[in-house]
Amino acid sequence: MAEVNPVSDQYLLSGADYLRNILRAPVYEVAQVTPLQNLARLSARIGNHVQLKREDRQPVHSFKLRGAYNMMTQLTEHQRQAGVIAASAGNHAQGLALSSQKLEVSATIVMPRTTPDIKVDAVRGFGANVVLHGNNFDEAKIHAEMLAQQHGYTFIPPFDHPAIIAGQGTIGIELVQQNGHLEYVFVPVGGGGLAAGVSVLLKQLLPEIKVIGVEAEDSACLKAAFDAGQPVTLDQVGMFADGVAVKRIGSETFRLCEQYLDDVITVSSDEICAAVKDIFEDTRAIAEPSGALSLAGLKKYAEQQQLQQCHLAAILSGANLNFHGLRYVSERCELGEKREGLLAVTIPERPGAFLDFCHLIGGRAVTEFNYRYNDDKLANVFVGVRLLQGQQELEHIIADLRQGGYPVMDLSDDEMAKVHVRYMIGGRPPKPLQERLYSFEFPEYPGALTKFLSTLGDQWNISLFNYRNHGADYGRVLCGFELAEHDLLSFTTHLRKLGYHWHDETDSAAYKFFLAQ
């Protein structure tokens, strides 16, 4: 196998080189040609011809098999005998495990301890040796590289290698064969291997096709690299779309994306949840969040650019979803589609006030209604309303309520209101407190909450606590502390030493409205 260092300028493949390597990639010895499926309901709703590339139909339910197998076929006999190793939280691991089984090569996969059992079991099912180490991908990767040095394994990277990129690029061949009229192709971006491979292929064959990269807002390493002109390392990444939770774009993938991608767009977690629902309604398939990422970008881009009657395709990159994560998706998809609004409304505490309020809401479906007696004059209500006409309808509701004399606050985009406060309505302290509020994230695994509290310590009194396990890889906690002004410096210094991601939420409007004294 030719030793190619993708971070070196000594040997950079041209677009023609990549085209040749993609056309010669033997991925169909193990991978499938996946369908390009029409999304009839979504197409009618947004006024464009929308199709979905079903990479969830691969034997490992993701596109990662293509790149892993292509690189494995290029190993020398010595490398095959020594075995291979990788670090992965899921899809790359399964792709490499099946490739190793097919080629009869020993494989070791280092996975974070937070990896859902469904993914660990799938990797073991293909015969790979699984090593659980660390609480995130970076810790797993460091351990995998150490094992590679100790045992002489060949490290198979998840995205930043020409052979991996070429394998993923075979999706582009299928796209142009399945629909020669495509005008836009939307590709999810994590480390950039898929986006690099598809864009370089399409631009060699049909350069008029626009290729748009799509990133999660809280993991936008490619956008950060574009802004800086070179790859940069993000301080942290969100874990909801864990398949694209990459802190730094690859060096070779960035070079290709910078040259061949036409644009990049970011989407929120709520917009991803809405895309998961769209896919289910049209296909009855359940995509993982990173798998639905590109369709979320397609919808947002089509709206922003006012596209009409265009031929658009998105790649459903994977469907290895932790089933319990659907709880979160179900709660948030309506918000992502602008089909639900969340409002904080102040109503007078008098007989008939609720009825008057409901008359102003009209015949709309109320999705949530939370109230608790507060005082003799005013009551605070948390209300969810289903919307048929999106943001415009929500603005009409707010205007009607204000005209009726009801102070109202729109919480539809307030993350803390959606994650925590809606489940804590009415929880005010019985006495004045010098209280400050903080949110935390920590890796989910058995005993994680106990470890979090133990690490937090008992030096400061906890005055409020909310924790919800959404079935995701990371748990979220909202915590209030009794803190005098002279305690703030020592407290924040303590937080920085803990190693958890945290944020001061004391100035949150939702907190002040429903929870603060």
Side-chain angles (χ1 to χ4, degrees):
M1 178 180 182
E3 293 297 329
V4 179
N5 181 359
V7 300
S8 170
D9 290 332
Q10 295 177 0
Y11 180 54
L12 296 178
L13 298 178
S14 67
D17 292 330
Y18 268 107
L19 175 60
R20 185 183 307 108
N21 291 345
I22 292 170
L23 292 173
R24 296 172 62 184
V27 300
Y28 300 108
E29 293 173 4
V30 65
Q32 305 292 321
V33 175
T34 55
L36 183 62
Q37 185 170 352
N38 294 322
L39 300 186
R41 290 169 62 107
L42 182 60
S43 295
R45 196 169 86 224
I46 71 173
N48 288 283
H49 306 288
V50 182
Q51 294 180 297
L52 193 67
K53 184 63 171 160
R54 295 288 305 275
E55 283 299 290
D56 61 306
R57 300 282 291 272
Q58 293 293 353
V60 296
H61 308 293
S62 95
F63 75 97
K64 287 286 191 175
L65 176 62
R66 297 172 183 261
Y69 188 80
N70 188 48
M71 184 167 179
M72 288 280 292
T73 61
Q74 299 178 41
L75 295 176
T76 65
E77 185 59 32
H78 173 75
Q79 289 171 321
R80 291 192 183 205
Q81 290 296 325
V84 297
I85 193 169
S88 171
N91 290 341
H92 178 56
Q94 293 180 59
L96 181 60
L98 179 55
S99 300
S100 299
Q101 183 186 69
K102 174 75 173 178
L103 297 170
E104 299 182 346
V105 175
S106 173
T108 299
I109 315 292
V110 182
M111 308 182 81
R113 288 194 295 265
T114 57
T115 306
D117 289 343
I118 186 174
K119 297 182 178 181
V120 176
D121 293 343
V123 172
R124 285 177 173 152
F126 290 123
N129 173 40
V130 174
V131 175
L132 297 177
H133 183 89
N135 291 324
N136 54 53
F137 170 76
D138 293 317
E139 292 178 9
K141 182 182 177 183
I142 291 172
H143 190 64
E145 290 173 338
M146 181 193 73
L147 292 176
Q149 290 182 347
Q150 288 180 352
H151 301 285
Y153 302 142
T154 297
F155 186 82
I156 307 295
F159 49 82
D160 199 26
H161 192 286
I164 299 289
I165 295 168
Q168 321 301 27
T170 57
I171 293 176
I173 300 173
E174 296 173 25
L175 284 170
V176 297
Q177 290 176 333
Q178 291 167 326
N179 185 353
H181 302 289
L182 285 176
E183 297 169 81
Y184 292 85
V185 172
F186 294 81
V187 189
V189 179
L194 179 60
V198 170
S199 62
V200 70
L201 182 283
L202 291 179
K203 291 302 181 180
Q204 300 304 304
L205 299 180
L206 294 171
E208 66 274 16
I209 296 178
K210 303 293 185 184
V211 186
I212 313 298
V214 185
E215 293 188 288
E217 285 178 350
D218 53 9
S219 304
C221 62
L222 178 58
K223 184 178 184 300
F226 279 164
D227 292 342
Q230 61 183 4
V232 295
T233 303
L234 302 179
D235 292 333
Q236 60 194 27
V237 293
M239 295 305 297
F240 173 59
D242 59 344
V244 292
V246 177
K247 288 186 176 182
R248 185 183 179 91
I249 198 78
S251 297
E252 176 67 353
T253 56
F254 172 71
R255 181 181 76 88
L256 295 172
C257 287
E258 186 177 40
Q259 184 174 353
Y260 295 109
L261 273 186
D262 292 284
D263 204 349
V264 63
I265 188 171
T266 62
V267 294
S268 68
S269 293
D270 287 353
E271 288 167 332
I272 294 171
C273 290
V276 172
K277 182 183 177 184
D278 288 324
I279 291 170
F280 176 77
E281 289 185 339
D282 255 312
T283 70
R284 294 300 184 265
I286 300 176
E288 62 185 277
S290 58
L293 179 65
S294 62
L295 186 66
L298 180 154
K299 291 166 57 185
K300 188 171 186 176
Y301 191 87
E303 181 180 6
Q304 289 180 348
Q305 302 298 319
Q306 298 182 331
L307 301 182
Q308 286 292 304
Q309 301 307 315
C310 293
H311 291 268
L312 317 176
I315 298 173
L316 196 177
S317 57
N320 289 303
L321 176 70
N322 178 3
F323 181 79
H324 297 292
L326 288 173
R327 194 182 318 163
Y328 180 87
V329 172
S330 177
E331 288 178 357
R332 302 293 287 263
C333 62
E334 298 288 321
L335 291 165
E337 293 176 323
K338 303 298 182 184
R339 292 185 182 180
E340 183 184 28
L342 298 181
L343 302 173
V345 184
T346 302
I347 66 175
E349 188 62 75
R350 59 171 174 77
F354 277 135
L355 184 59
D356 293 342
F357 169 78
C358 292
H359 284 157
L360 284 173
I361 292 292
R364 301 177 178 91
V366 175
T367 58
E368 190 164 351
F369 195 96
N370 292 296
Y371 158 75
R372 185 177 179 183
Y373 176 84
N374 187 43
D375 61 33
D376 293 335
K377 296 181 180 180
L378 298 173
N380 294 330
V381 175
F382 186 99
V383 60
V385 183
R386 179 155 289 126
L387 307 171
L388 299 178
Q389 300 170 13
Q391 185 65 28
Q392 184 178 7
E393 183 180 2
L394 182 60
E395 292 171 358
H396 286 318
I397 294 172
I398 292 172
D400 289 344
L401 289 172
R402 287 175 175 162
Q403 188 174 355
Y406 294 89
V408 59
M409 182 186 305
D410 184 4
L411 298 179
S412 304
D413 293 323
D414 188 311
E415 186 68 12
M416 204 181 70
K418 292 183 284 188
V419 173
H420 293 290
V421 174
R422 69 192 302 177
Y423 307 104
M424 303 171 67
I425 302 305
R428 294 183 184 276
K431 64 178 183 179
L433 295 174
Q434 287 184 290
E435 185 179 68
R436 296 194 70 84
L437 197 69
Y438 294 85
S439 61
F440 298 86
E441 289 184 359
F442 57 85
E444 278 286 14
Y445 55 89
L449 182 59
T450 301
K451 180 181 178 182
F452 169 78
L453 290 171
S454 300
T455 306
L456 200 59
D458 57 4
Q459 185 175 350
W460 294 277
N461 183 52
I462 294 177
S463 54
L464 176 153
F465 197 87
N466 177 250
Y467 163 73
R468 295 191 79 233
N469 185 333
H470 289 288
D473 293 343
Y474 269 64
R476 289 178 168 185
V477 163
L478 185 68
C479 202
F481 299 87
E482 282 191 82
L483 292 171
E485 285 294 323
H486 61 79
D487 287 329
L488 280 179
L489 179 59
S490 60
F491 180 76
T492 53
T493 300
H494 176 69
L495 291 187
R496 292 189 183 99
K497 294 179 180 178
L498 296 183
Y500 294 116
H501 171 51
W502 59 272
H503 190 262
D504 189 337
E505 307 282 6
T506 308
D507 293 329
S508 162
Y511 164 66
K512 291 179 178 178
F513 199 91
F514 288 110
L515 301 173
Q517 177 66 30

